[in-house]
Amino acid sequence: MEKIIILIVLVTGVIALAQLVRLYELTYKLKDRGEHDIPNRDNNLNAKLMIGFMLFLFSGFIYLVLRFGWTGRGEAASIQGVETDWLLNINFVIIIAVFFLTNFLLFFFSFKYVRKPGVKAKYYSHNNKLEMIWTIVPAVVLAVIIILGLKSWSELTADASKKAEKIELFAYQFAWVARYAGEDNTLGKFDYKLTTGNNELALMTGSTIDSSVQEMGKSIEAVEQKLKLINFDYLSSEYRSLISSSDYKSDVDELVTEISSSEFNLVGAEEQLKQLYGRYTGGGDHIKITLNEPNDETKSIIGDLEKDLSTKERLYRSLVQMKQNHNPSQDKYTLNDIIQKDTLYLCKGREYDFSFRAKDVIHSAYFPHFRAQMNVVPGMPTSFKFTPILTTQEMRASKNNDEFNYVIMCNKICGGAHYKMKMIVVVYPEAEYDDWMALKRKATFKDQYFPNEETEMIAAK
Amino acid sequence: MKKSKPFEEFVLPQGTNKGLKQPKLGEVLIDHDHDHEEENFVSKYIFSHDHKMIGKQFLMTAVFMGLVAMMLSILFRIQLAWPGEESSVLSLFLGDTWAPDGILKEDMYLGLVTLHGTIMVFFLLTGGLSGTFSNLLIPLQLGARDMASGFMNMLSYWFFFLSSLLMFASLFIQEGAVFGIQIGDPTTSLPGVWDGSGPAMAGWTIYPPLSALPQSVSGSGLGMTFWLFSMTIFIASSLIGSLNYIVTVLNLRTKGMTMTRMPLTIWAFFVTAILGTLSFPVLLSAALLLLMDRMAGTSFYLSDIIVGSDMLANHGGSPILYQHLFWFLGHPEVYIVLLPALGLSSEVIATNSRKPIFGYKAMIGSIMAIGFLSFIVWGHHMFITGMNPFLGSVFVFTTLLIAIPSAVKVFNYLTTLWKGSLVLTPAMMFAIGLVSTFITGGVTGIILADSALDIAIHDTYFVVAHFHIVMGMSAVFGMFAGVYHWFPKMFGRMMNTRLGYVHFWLTIIGAYGVFFPMHFVGLAGAPRRYYNYSVYQDFDQGALDMMMDLNVIVTTFAIFSAVAQIIFLFNFFYSIFRGPRAPQNPWRSTTLEWTTPVEHVHGNWPGDLPTVHRWPYDYSKPGSDVDFIMQTEPLAEGEEEH
Ligand code: HEM
Ligand SMILES: [Cu+2]
Ligand SMILES: [Cu+2]
């Protein structure tokens, strides 16, 4: 196939080039002509080509449909998708009819009414009745389209029923994680500030808050430490040797604390150091103190560290506040949530109420086979629902492809590996799904991360 | 009675009217020899205040930018058709940094797509199309000596030039340096904003947080900073230009040129300029807020974010706010691109059908209706952002309403052709091509506007197919029609017609060949902005095979149509210098621009300004033995206007 096309391209290219050269010469001849007009021969040839092109366009369309079919993604695999496809097909019938009809008229007129000697164009400037007709007819057709569309739209976006199973999809650069709501079918709370190494989903319980407060405290200390070190890095060498001499150990320690306290500010650094030094030597200034100017790199590191510190302090304060407001009776909802990576399992015929959460940038959860999609927006929860009606096995049979799987793809540009951000979806028949779920219930959030915190569970109950 | 407006009544910017002397009664002033003495190279070709020269400057810059954007698309199309294969073209253009061993890097794929889209939409089709032809035609078709303010007009071009330069330069960003010149200041406490590599990579819509966080993709550093600065300057250019167009249309029409005697081109430019002045400021504020989020630590668009392991303290902002602001411009923008193309082709079609445009008043009505409606449909780009479903319904309704005036336009074009006496000039062919693409791309819009259906195809290649056909192809065809038709007016010479034919046929075949198959890629569920489709291997090899077949077809046609543009470039540049001299009115057209001398003069008409007595579409009028009557021709005894 490719070869043929490339061949066609080459041949046309050569022809074009030949034309080019020939016309280059013609240009010279034309130059002498004062008037500019299109010869009848050219006019008629192009008129015929208009019809030729129309045939190319229409047959290209038909070829593509025959070769690739309508639904490259197969039949719809959810109740909502079946509805969507039905509506889509109605719309397609309408627009394809319009496509053929109007394009036909266009190219046909361009062919038929090409200039002929002795035939004058018809002076026809307006006709209110005609214009009325082609305002009203599209309006009526569109009204039908709008009504059908809005009917589907309101069904698709209506809240999921109470008994729908809740799943949260968490998106980050560049993967998906699912969280099932567990036995109580209630998703536990979360707060992004609770993200830690072993709480990637930032779920909220009394103890995750505690460990976040701790971790944040530690990382604030770490930043402060770094700042302290870097401050010393650019003191003059005399000064550094002075303060590190053991004779003055205790005073120096005090000095160090002061220098690295949060009030210590770079701009007034030299002044402050002199003062401190003055106090330290009883007012004499027999040792000249100079600060090595921090070089650009040091400055930028300090800037970053300070910014980081203030961010962390803000986060720390709100974590402490979170702790104070926390209601431990909510923990049970969180603890029995089930975290599921790599593959999402669904049950045929069960309604799912998805909610979406992003960690970093906007992603979009696109389920092409279920005709479902929703953006995943940081800081703004979104949701939608659908009910799978074909198991993976059934879909494989329908597509005649043993290796087919459902999938979630990311469909909002989110960075370099956007194109790889997917999650396989498996739809089980009910029995299999229940078995899988029973197994999973033994590996809840609590089991994975707090296996020893019996008390918390009991207290919560 | 002829209106005689002496020259000094015209508020020409200083410097422009130097060469004009007051005409004595009955004297015909052909004064350009005199001009040459007074003007030097710089004031004539560079800092010109003359609208015709400025129009040409816009055209040249836009042609260059358009070629760049087209080249970018070829580069990423090569990647899509032959992913993972070593390509010497890629390594030639992108070098070792972006295409080591001839294999494109994934980040740069996004960079190419982003800059392609941005340049095509803003620089080729906004700056280029409306900048060129509004400038050229508004004064000429209205009978004005120049734009209301020649100085602002010049400023508009130079802002455009500067922003083009910045956007182009951003392609060459390497680790905080452009062309090896270090921009980044390491002492800044704004990590990332001044470093990073590559152009902006967040798509032409640059949605935050991706565009706000330099940590999230390498192009969101200096590349994004360049993008934002460039667009800020671009917006300034566009606003200055638009205000000038509006004022000129309202104030500088010559005697007899009532609003309902204006050619449809002018109506289109006029409404376009209004759309621009009302919507670009909103994009400007969106961009400024984004700059603040990037540089000043504000949280307009950011809330609860962790990038990598960086926990940000931003809270309370909304990324969706940005989208509302962006699309408040973004949708009118597609009409800013489209309306001038429709305007140009109305004129071309009427002239070359030797018939009045059918339903002139209805055409004006639909331009205005489209203009108005385009402000209340932006939400159709956001159906799946989780917006309130009721709000979604409103946007479905308003969007589908736009289909009505659009349909009216199409039917009016068809009726104009009906029983005409068509002269198939290259311009006419491109105008006919435009009507075809406007139909083909327009009908798929009906599907995308239907929120329930959009869920299943939003952001897939179906959308890419739709907007390229309805906006990309139509506008580019409109632009080509404009260039072929008004080339004699711009350069005083004719383009070669037969090369024009070859160019047209290759282009329309190529362009349909590129964009039509994309519908099928999209219906197979392929998301856009994907570097390759290798993920399909894990779940649907069959769909992947089909997609790869289609992608090869698409890329082949893309290369084909890109090569076809060489013919145009040759014809264009060759004809500027060597084309046959143009007669004064080569297409036997009725409008005022064809009453000016072929050689450009300042003030456009050497003598008095023309007076207008009739509408611009008196072609083949019964009772007249010529097949066109100039607008300056007084109505005959007992003649009805139309
Ligand atoms: C040589 C002709 C062209 C080719 C082969 C081409 C191809 C493409 C393709 C394949 C994409 C989608 C990439 C993706 O989403 O992964 C794209 C994006 C785009 N193109 Fe074109 N295009 C061409 C001309 C144009 C023109 C004339 C316009 C003017 C409207 C245009 C505007 C855009 C825009 C706005 C995008 C979206 C960029 C984004 O996703 O951020 N293109 N082009
Ligand atoms: Cu993504
Ligand atoms: Cu829109």
Side-chain angles (χ1 to χ4, degrees), chain B residues 327 330-332 334-335 374 377-381 399:
Chain B
W327 288 112
H331 194 86
V334 312
Y335 290 101
S374 74
V377 301
W378 79 90
H380 62 216
H381 299 275
T399 304

Side-chain angles (χ1 to χ4, degrees), chain B residues 385-403:
Chain B
T385 52
M387 65 154 72
N388 183 319
F390 176 73
L391 191 58
S393 315
V394 175
F395 283 120
V396 173
F397 179 71
T398 53
T399 304
L400 287 171
L401 276 189
I402 283 205

Side-chain angles (χ1 to χ4, degrees), chain A residues 28 43 192 300 410 419 422, chain B residues 106 186 312 424 530 538 578:
Chain A
Y28 274 97
N43 225 10
Y192 85 110
S300 102
C410 179
Y419 71 104
K422 66 130 200 315
Chain B
E106 10 177 89
L312 310 184
L424 294 174
Y530 264 31
D538 299 341
R578 309 283 300 270

Side-chain angles (χ1 to χ4, degrees), chain A residues 134-146:
Chain A
W134 57 59
T135 310
I136 289 171
V137 171
V140 171
V141 176
L142 285 168
V144 174
I145 290 179
I146 292 176

Side-chain angles (χ1 to χ4, degrees), chain A residues 8-56:
Chain A
I8 297 175
V9 173
L10 285 179
V11 170
T12 333
V14 171
I15 296 175
L17 214 68
Q19 283 278 14
L20 208 115
V21 177
R22 208 167 65 89
L23 291 163
Y24 183 85
E25 289 156 9
L26 265 172
T27 331
Y28 274 97
K29 290 191 194 134
L30 263 176
K31 253 187 178 168
D32 306 328
R33 265 182 37 208
E35 263 306 306
H36 191 87
D37 209 350
I38 308 292
N40 276 332
R41 217 178 49 140
D42 285 9
N43 225 10
N44 293 335
L45 175 69
N46 281 304
K48 287 186 194 118
L49 287 175
M50 287 281 175
I51 294 293
F53 178 75
M54 180 182 80
L55 295 177
F56 165 78

Side-chain angles (χ1 to χ4, degrees), chain B residues 138-174:
Chain B
I138 289 179
L140 284 176
Q141 291 195 331
L142 289 180
R145 299 259 179 230
D146 203 318
M147 282 288 179
S149 164
F151 176 73
M152 291 217 327
N153 212 14
M154 178 195 80
L155 213 58
S156 159
Y157 171 71
W158 283 103
F159 278 10
F160 174 63
F161 182 81
L162 187 63
S163 67
S164 304
L165 209 64
L166 280 180
M167 194 58 83
F168 180 66
S170 79
L171 283 165
F172 300 89
I173 292 174
Q174 271 306 313

